[in-house]
Amino acid sequence: MAPRLVAHRVLQTPGICSRFFSGWTFPRARRPQIPFLSQPPQMKHQVRWQTTKKSYWKSQEIRDTVYYTSYMSAFSIIGWMLYLALDQEYVERFHPSPDDWTFWTRCNYRMAAERAHPKDPNTVINWIPMLTQTLKTIDRLESPDLDGDGVVDPIPVDLPPDPSIAQRAVYPKDITAKSENWRRGYYDTLMLTAKAAEHVEGWVLDRKQRTFFSPQVVLGPSNPNPKPMPRSIYKQPLEEDCETGVLPEPSMLYEKILNTVGFTAREKVDAAMQYAAFLEYKGLPSDAMEALQRALKLTDKASSTSYKFQIPYDSDTLVIPEPATPSANHLTVLTAMATLTARNGDLEKALPILVSILRARKQLPTSRKTLHYPERMNVEKPDTLLTAQERFEKKFGPPPYPGRFPDGSSPPKRDAAERCEEAALNAYIGEIIFATGSQESGLAWTREAVDVSEEQMHNIKESPSPGVQGWIPDRKEQDDSSYRTNALKHCEECLRTGLVNWKGMVERMNQIQEEETEKKNEEQKHKWITWGARPAKVDGRWEAEIKVVEDRLKRAEKLFELTIHRPSGWLDSLIGA
């Protein structure tokens, strides 16, 4: 009987059969192994990995790697050195250092000066690195093995066995044996150090984290609730880990400048005035006045070398008499003393001093130019008198160290900047007179201060700018541009202060008038006969003047939009300096 077709087809299906017999094992028939017919066992082929060709290829690869790595490293080092050279050359144009300093001393000074004067005014200055760099510069300048050959101690100094840089930096020196440029650079370094020390006064050193912190963030028994630390890599410092007295005191640095032998009177006067400002900020007005009196004595000593010198002020009242012509230093120091006296509450003594200073300024010789740019004492030869070699060296060589400015022992020229000083005096006088009870007179002085400062600000902006020729500015161009910028800023401050004072005075006068009007109306209500009487009204004079002041403020905002930056060019984008 023939099998059914369906079953046959199922058995012939390959999928089902393979699944069904997948686990079965069937015996296989073995072939007979005859010696002469058997196949020899297959041996693995031996491969040579290190052939001559491959060895040559490896050596060539190593040779190319060393070749290209060496060249790329050399070019990277040369490019990095070129960048540093251009950067130092660029910074040297804006923060010059004396030629007789060594290279690393000049580098430390330039980096500190660049940190102290950033291009962006909104940059937060890190004072600790700047102070560290200035202290290194001072230590190198006072070291006899480096730049301090000839620097001696005027008095014997007892130093600890192993003094630190900060401990060595606060003692006065005798630098008369050094050159003038060396002394001026040394003075600038000390002033930068004192300025940085003011901002980090009282800071402590954390020995574990090896960094400085403000005492306000130190956790300890004396400060159980410190200020929170800003987000940084440092932890909250502990009082037992901190050491005090590591950084120099600002007062000791200023005393060092005033007692160092070799500085000019103008330099010591500037240091004494900055010292007085620091003492006033610390809440020590009597000590600040002593510092200003010290500056006034130095000014008298500097001006006494001129022929037929007479003190241009009364020694008791500090008032400048009518025929006297004071020097620029006298005007600056007396103005600082008068304003300090006024801030301490003695208005009756300060007012005559300020009035006499204003009268003396108005009697100064008038300058024909809008801005009388200061000239340095050692003027370079003009380009027409230079040889071809000297012109090439001036164009491509390092810039010479700038000469010193006038010492301030002669009267200044009455230019736009000096008229802004007059506007500031008008604002001071108006404020004092208004506070003493003469409101109308104080308002008149303040209005004049606003008018004068606004006029001079327009004159300065319309005056021709010194400009900058080339990709790196010349020293004369930098000085003139800096003088113009400072004059604009000073006029802006005078105008802003005058407008704010004017508005405050007018609002006060308006308030007084409203109180008087309200008082009269109250008295009118309590009278027996009020028939036909009308209530008093405010005449609106002061309200109208308030609107005038607000209009002047809006108009002045256009002048306040003043942004003067460092001249830029292709070098800025190249080195980012």
Side-chain angles (χ1 to χ4, degrees):
M1 178 178 179
R4 295 181 63 184
L5 183 62
V6 177
H8 178 75
R9 291 179 178 177
V10 170
L11 292 175
Q12 294 297 323
T13 304
I16 295 177
C17 294
S18 63
R19 287 197 301 267
F20 182 76
F21 297 105
S22 61
W24 292 15
T25 58
F26 298 96
R28 296 180 179 181
R30 298 183 61 183
R31 296 177 61 185
Q33 301 293 327
I34 303 175
F36 65 90
L37 294 178
S38 63
Q39 190 177 6
Q42 188 176 3
M43 302 293 294
K44 291 185 177 180
H45 182 66
Q46 298 293 331
V47 180
R48 293 183 57 192
W49 294 100
Q50 192 68 23
T51 60
T52 305
K53 185 177 181 180
K54 188 171 289 187
S55 300
Y56 175 78
W57 174 79
K58 287 184 178 181
S59 61
Q60 189 67 25
E61 287 293 322
I62 294 173
R63 189 182 305 110
D64 292 344
T65 302
V66 174
Y67 177 81
Y68 288 112
T69 303
S70 302
Y71 271 84
M72 291 175 64
S73 301
F75 280 116
S76 299
I77 294 173
I78 293 173
W80 179 73
M81 295 177 64
L82 181 62
Y83 165 78
L84 290 181
L86 289 175
D87 184 37
Q88 292 296 321
E89 177 69 19
Y90 187 79
V91 176
E92 176 68 20
R93 302 282 173 159
F94 294 95
H95 308 290
S97 55
D99 300 334
D100 44 358
W101 287 5
T102 56
F103 175 75
W104 291 114
T105 305
R106 300 177 72 176
C107 286
N108 286 329
Y109 170 76
R110 286 192 290 255
M111 287 188 291
E114 186 72 6
R115 287 180 182 270
H117 306 91
K119 293 188 296 182
D120 187 4
N122 299 322
T123 303
V124 179
I125 301 176
N126 193 352
W127 296 101
I128 290 294
M130 172 189 163
L131 181 60
T132 304
Q133 289 167 347
T134 54
L135 288 175
K136 288 182 181 179
T137 306
I138 293 174
D139 189 62
R140 292 180 64 90
L141 290 175
E142 295 177 354
S143 176
D145 299 332
L146 298 173
D147 296 283
D149 186 17
V151 178
V152 297
D153 297 323
I155 55 176
V157 177
D158 294 332
L159 290 173
D162 190 12
S164 62
I165 296 179
Q167 292 174 338
R168 295 194 299 266
V170 296
Y171 293 98
K173 300 292 181 179
D174 186 354
I175 57 173
T176 53
K178 309 302 289 185
S179 63
E180 180 185 353
N181 293 345
W182 193 99
R183 297 196 300 266
R184 288 169 50 217
Y186 181 64
Y187 170 79
D188 293 338
T189 307
L190 287 176
M191 292 295 287
L192 281 178
T193 308
K195 181 180 179 181
E198 289 181 11
H199 291 81
V200 295
E201 185 185 17
W203 284 37
V204 297
L205 173 64
D206 191 337
R207 293 186 296 271
K208 288 187 176 180
Q209 303 186 65
R210 300 187 63 84
T211 187
F212 291 90
F213 292 98
S214 172
Q216 299 175 350
V217 300
V218 178
L219 177 62
S222 61
N223 189 19
N225 299 316
K227 287 186 176 181
M229 284 280 295
R231 182 177 296 179
S232 63
I233 62 175
Y234 299 107
K235 301 178 181 179
Q236 193 89 30
L238 302 178
E239 189 172 350
E240 58 268 18
D241 299 333
C242 296
E243 181 180 355
T244 60
V246 179
L247 299 176
E249 294 291 333
S251 301
M252 300 183 69
L253 290 171
Y254 284 120
E255 289 293 339
K256 173 180 180 175
I257 298 173
L258 295 174
N259 295 323
T260 294
V261 182
F263 290 146
T264 63
R266 176 63 181 270
E267 293 171 341
K268 291 187 176 182
V269 166
D270 293 340
M273 292 190 62
Q274 189 167 331
Y275 185 27
F278 169 70
L279 292 173
E280 185 183 4
Y281 170 77
K282 296 293 292 182
L284 303 171
S286 58
D287 296 342
M289 184 59 70
E290 290 180 2
L292 290 177
Q293 291 174 354
R294 195 172 179 180
L296 189 61
K297 292 180 181 178
L298 291 170
T299 303
D300 295 339
K301 184 179 179 181
S303 301
S304 61
T305 56
S306 60
Y307 180 66
K308 294 182 180 180
F309 168 75
Q310 294 181 355
I311 296 178
Y313 60 90
D314 187 90
S315 57
D316 297 329
T317 62
L318 302 179
V319 175
I320 301 176
E322 182 71 28
T325 304
S327 63
N329 290 340
H330 280 109
L331 292 172
T332 304
V333 177
L334 290 174
T335 302
M337 296 180 73
T339 53
L340 179 60
T341 303
R343 284 192 292 269
N344 291 334
D346 195 354
L347 303 180
E348 296 181 355
K349 182 179 179 181
L351 183 59
I353 302 174
L354 292 172
V355 173
S356 65
I357 295 173
L358 178 60
R359 182 179 60 244
R361 283 192 177 277
K362 290 185 176 181
Q363 295 175 355
L364 293 174
T366 306
S367 175
R368 296 181 179 180
K369 301 179 181 179
T370 303
L371 287 176
H372 185 77
Y373 294 110
E375 296 290 340
R376 294 189 179 269
M377 300 302 291
N378 49 345
V379 182
E380 301 179 6
K381 293 192 300 183
D383 294 341
T384 55
L385 301 179
L386 296 178
T387 62
Q389 181 180 358
E390 292 175 343
R391 291 182 183 179
F392 181 83
E393 293 177 354
K394 182 179 179 180
K395 186 67 175 177
F396 298 99
Y401 194 69
R404 60 186 177 90
F405 283 117
D407 56 358
S409 59
S410 58
K413 295 289 185 180
R414 190 167 179 249
D415 58 352
E418 291 297 326
R419 285 184 169 87
C420 286
E421 295 286 348
E422 297 174 11
L425 291 171
N426 280 325
Y428 291 147
I429 294 170
E431 193 172 353
I432 292 175
I433 292 177
F434 188 88
T436 53
S438 302
Q439 286 87 358
E440 294 286 347
S441 300
L443 269 171
W445 283 91
T446 306
R447 292 191 196 100
E448 185 179 357
V450 172
D451 294 338
V452 172
S453 57
E454 186 175 5
E455 179 186 1
Q456 299 308 318
M457 198 167 179
H458 278 291
N459 293 338
I460 296 174
K461 290 194 70 176
E462 293 173 359
S463 64
S465 177
V468 176
Q469 303 295 332
W471 56 279
I472 291 184
D474 184 66
R475 172 53 49 181
K476 180 69 168 57
E477 295 168 349
Q478 293 181 46
D479 294 338
D480 295 349
S481 179
S482 176
Y483 182 79
R484 186 174 184 271
T485 303
N486 293 334
L488 275 171
K489 288 182 179 179
H490 188 62
C491 285
E492 178 182 344
E493 293 174 0
C494 294
L495 180 57
R496 191 185 298 273
T497 304
L499 287 170
V500 172
N501 289 352
W502 188 6
K503 185 177 181 180
M505 292 176 183
V506 174
E507 289 177 350
R508 177 59 181 164
M509 295 296 292
N510 186 37
Q511 182 181 0
I512 292 174
Q513 189 180 32
E514 289 178 353
E515 292 175 356
E516 292 178 352
T517 303
E518 186 178 353
K519 185 178 180 181
K520 288 181 181 180
N521 292 334
E522 289 293 332
E523 293 176 354
Q524 189 72 21
K525 290 179 181 179
H526 295 289
K527 289 184 179 180
W528 287 94
I529 302 175
T530 60
W531 180 77
R534 297 181 178 179
K537 295 182 180 180
V538 181
D539 58 0
R541 170 193 171 187
W542 302 116
E543 293 181 355
E545 190 164 351
I546 289 175
K547 294 181 180 179
V548 171
V549 177
E550 290 176 352
D551 292 340
R552 294 286 293 270
L553 278 169
K554 293 179 181 178
R555 188 174 69 184
E557 286 297 331
K558 297 180 181 179
L559 293 176
F560 294 158
E561 296 174 358
L562 181 64
T563 55
I564 299 179
H565 298 286
R566 177 181 297 177
S568 60
W570 64 271
L571 189 63
D572 281 325
S573 60
L574 179 63
I575 63 177

